[in-house]
Amino acid sequence: MTGVETREDWLKGRISGRGAMVARWLSLAAAPTFAVMALVAALAPAEMICGATQGPFSLQGMVPMYALMSAFHLAPWLRLFR
């Protein structure tokens, strides 16, 4: 044994059986969830959003935050289609 362990080997040791499958599906759920939240925040009436004085497309609102979170969670999707 070389002592070098891949991420997949570590995960198999930590989460075996159904846990690994659940973790994979949960990682795929993050990006679409944040994308839908960004869309809802962009289309919601201004009085329903916390920062009602800001426009929906300003860089300080909820829409850019959710869009960035969606972009940062795209890695599992990119690995899936690679």
Side-chain angles (χ1 to χ4, degrees):
M1 186 164 152
T2 63
V4 177
E5 164 176 73
T6 64
R7 181 177 180 271
E8 287 78 19
D9 293 336
W10 181 81
L11 278 176
K12 284 179 187 174
R14 298 280 298 180
I15 308 171
S16 61
R18 291 188 202 152
M21 185 172 44
V22 170
R24 174 168 283 165
W25 282 106
L26 281 176
S27 71
L28 289 172
T33 301
F34 288 128
V36 168
M37 291 170 70
L39 185 63
V40 167
L43 298 177
E47 60 270 1
M48 289 182 61
I49 302 175
C50 294
T53 59
Q54 301 169 358
F57 296 106
S58 72
L59 292 176
Q60 300 172 350
M62 299 298 283
V63 175
M65 181 193 67
Y66 287 137
L68 282 172
M69 289 171 69
S70 179
F72 290 144
H73 286 88
L74 278 178
W77 284 98
L78 295 174
R79 279 193 300 267
L80 183 68
F81 291 116
R82 176 171 58 136

